[in-house]
Amino acid sequence: MNKILITKSIIFLLVIGFGCTSSEKGPLIQGVKGSYESIPDKTWLSHEHILVDFIGADSIQPDTWDHDAIIKEVMPYFEELKEFDVDYFVDATPAYLGRDVLLLEKIADKTGINILTNTGLYGARNNQFIPQYALKMTAEDLAEMWIDEYMNGIDNTSIKPGFVKISVDNSDPLHTMHQKLVKAAAHTHLETGLTIASHTGKAQALWPQLRILKDMGVSPGAFIWVHAQAEENNENYLKAAEMGCWISLDGLGWDLENHIGKLLFAKRNGILNRILISHDAGWYDPQKENQTIKPFTNIFKKLYPALKSHGFTEDDFKLLTSVNPSKAFSIKVKNHSLDNYQD
Ligand SMILES: [Zn+2]
């Protein structure tokens, strides 16, 4: 009898113990294959594209894409990543521009790399990648669709987005539709904790987005300033970093020198802890006969050696490709109040 009681007590304690452990776990990262605990020692590529189709929202036909042909073409570029132990690959291609979650799932299966996909819509280039129905919807209705993708899955699958991807044309004030996208993203963040990555470019279009987030009670810590390398005045990086925004220098597939200068500036000024780096590379285009895929390896093969010669340390690299992205893509509601938000 006593034995049974003791066994029951042990089981009870074990259950309580496991309960405590799981409730103490940190925020999660959502990949196409499931969710993972956010830990700071994984290697990330925080903004890349496997497939992009520029045919436009009215003409795009995902069911015509040949998965086998695409996989055959892109696999060598993923093979190259094995050498650098890449764990997380953020696919930043939005819906109506080539988002194909079943393709991403197949590639994640084949490579063992965790791939993140997104919800949201791409407004830049004058709304040509926004479907007609979305032009007429309210921010709240758009957010409802995006939240539903997170709660129930994308395109009738159980695959969930790991972040919100939006895009705006580079102007201040923002185009009315683009203000709506930012509001919808803010609603989605408050409901789901998904981080907002916004194709922005120069800082002039960053400030109006951060103002909208502030009005809606969302912290800049929930926002990634995508394509920030386009900004010419480095002082704006200090301002954005001070506000707590993530600064994405993500054109390393295309340009090295400009990024090196900006990263040296970031280190000198103590803001490396707000910087994300990536290639914005890949780009299989189903409209093209012959593919010219951009590799995802400049960071490891070219950028790191160059920065090392300028005094960058292993800890600096770890911040840029491990610690920062693991925080930036953690799913957690970040309210606009410094008291209750810390990453
Ligand atoms: Zn991109």
Side-chain angles (χ1 to χ4, degrees), residues 41-48 77-90 108 111-115 278-279 296-300 304 321-322:
D41 60 355
K42 302 285 184 185
T43 301
W44 286 70
L45 290 175
S46 53
H47 184 115
E48 308 292 347
Y77 299 91
F78 279 94
E79 287 294 325
E80 278 193 300
L81 293 182
K82 281 190 180 153
E83 193 189 324
F84 306 106
D85 293 324
V86 172
D87 300 291
Y88 287 99
F89 180 102
V90 177
T111 59
I113 292 177
N114 302 315
I115 299 178
S278 211
H279 302 97
F296 310 112
T297 47
N298 276 356
I299 287 176
F300 312 107
Y304 279 4
T321 42
S322 296

Side-chain angles (χ1 to χ4, degrees), residues 56-58 95-96 120-122 127-137 142 145 177:
D58 298 336
Y96 301 96
L121 286 171
Y122 188 97
N127 299 326
Q128 61 177 300
F129 305 109
I130 301 269
Q132 283 300 316
Y133 69 80
L135 293 170
K136 299 176 198 111
M137 286 171 81
L142 282 173
M145 287 177 59
M177 179 63 200

Side-chain angles (χ1 to χ4, degrees), residues 123-124 127 167-169 174-183:
N127 299 326
S167 122
V168 299
D169 278 323
L174 297 171
H175 186 291
T176 318
M177 179 63 200
H178 303 167
Q179 293 175 27
K180 201 162 78 176
L181 293 178
V182 180
K183 286 178 190 163

Side-chain angles (χ1 to χ4, degrees), residues 47-49 92 165 199 226-227 280 283:
H47 184 115
E48 308 292 347
H49 299 275
K165 170 77 188 283
H199 164 115
V226 173
H227 308 325
D280 196 14
W283 304 70

